[in-house]
Amino acid sequence: MGAQRDQVFISNGGIADVNVVVATVDPDLGHRGQASFVVPKGTPGLAMGKKEDKLGIRASQTAEVVLENVRVPMENLLGGLEKLERKLERARRGESGGASGALATFEVTRPFVGASALGIARAAYEWTLDYLHGQTAPEGGPLLEQQRVQQVIADVATEIEAARMLVWRAAWMGRNGIPMTGGQGSMSKLKAGDVTMWATTALMDLVGPEASLTDHPLEKWFRDAKIYQLFEGTAQVQRLVVSRMQVAERERLVAEIAAEACKMRRKTP
């Protein structure tokens, strides 16, 4: 694979038994000239670079993967050579490549990322409810009966449930092989990440200054939440994906309706 190149911010980088590397095999075709290869652990030239010291999810290994003059056998080409040659030939003829396999894969995997984010939001929410239970407000009366507290609790609970429904729908579609042509997988990850970041922040505000201490559960969940707006596609990228897929889906539906109407007119005597 040529000279040394560092692939950064790789989950399980340097410790994974199997690495999937996307490499360019025809530079003239741009991104359509890429192929995916399986590079097993222990392959000569494959090494771990810098291990990152992260803000959150610190139990997850994140490191550079260094590739230096790595050679892999042809059987490690994902999909096989025949499929790759057909793909490259279509690209050279300027034909549409159809739906991106990588994008379709991301749509299926993003609900799992959303579910992980929601686990953080739910943990922070339940911990805060338990913490506030039985406490008295400075002005008297149970803290959980204060309207300002109830408003936050209601909003957090509602947003978590809304995000959960998006995650469940996308996971069900992926499990049943239903194409997520409207960006349902990206929607679920986008919503879950934003909700988790907002919810942990709002709950810290309820608890007060002690929630910012480094030995406090909410401080950890707050740090862990941020990555879900960044990895597997940033929140901004998710919005671009959803927008483009929604437009494409609408155009497809309009074309189908027009074709059906044309067919019906031809059948009418």
Side-chain angles (χ1 to χ4, degrees), residues 8-218:
V8 298
F9 303 133
I10 307 300
S11 297
N12 296 322
I15 62 173
D17 291 329
V18 175
N19 302 271
V20 177
V21 177
V22 179
T24 298
V25 294
D26 190 335
D28 294 335
L29 297 176
H31 72 277
R32 297 189 65 185
Q34 295 177 338
S36 298
F37 299 85
V38 173
V39 183
K41 185 176 183 180
T43 299
L46 175 70
M48 183 178 81
K50 176 188 175 185
K51 180 181 177 181
E52 302 296 343
D53 187 13
K54 305 189 301 295
L55 171 75
I57 60 167
R58 295 172 63 84
S60 172
Q61 165 103 355
T62 303
E64 294 176 335
V65 173
V66 179
L67 304 168
E68 188 169 10
N69 296 320
V70 173
R71 301 182 67 86
V72 294
M74 185 58 69
E75 56 262 30
N76 287 30
L77 171 65
L78 282 178
L81 182 59
E82 184 177 339
K83 182 178 179 181
L84 173 62
E85 289 178 338
R86 290 198 303 268
K87 169 192 165 184
L88 295 176
E89 187 57 34
R90 287 195 302 269
R92 294 185 184 109
R93 292 197 301 264
E95 297 178 5
S96 171
S100 166
L103 285 179
T105 299
F106 283 139
E107 282 301 302
V108 174
T109 59
R110 279 170 177 156
F112 299 107
V113 181
S116 180
L118 283 179
I120 295 171
R122 188 73 191 185
Y125 172 69
E126 292 179 355
W127 184 94
T128 302
L129 281 183
D130 292 343
Y131 172 81
L132 296 177
H133 182 74
Q135 291 201 35
T136 303
E139 59 271 31
L143 196 57
L144 286 176
E145 292 183 9
Q146 296 292 311
Q147 189 178 61
R148 63 178 179 84
V149 175
Q150 292 174 334
Q151 295 293 311
V152 175
I153 294 299
D155 285 345
V156 170
T158 300
E159 288 297 308
I160 288 176
E161 287 304 309
R164 190 200 302 271
M165 291 300 105
L166 284 174
V167 168
W168 280 356
R169 178 185 68 168
W172 176 84
M173 292 177 72
R175 178 65 179 269
N176 289 279
I178 301 173
M180 299 187 210
T181 53
Q184 290 87 353
S186 292
M187 283 182 190
S188 69
K189 190 265 182 183
L190 168 64
K191 182 66 173 177
D194 282 353
V195 165
T196 299
M197 189 73 254
W198 168 80
T200 52
T201 304
L203 294 169
M204 288 180 76
D205 290 343
L206 274 186
V207 171
E210 67 181 85
S212 67
L213 301 177
T214 55
D215 61 349
H216 198 281
L218 284 177

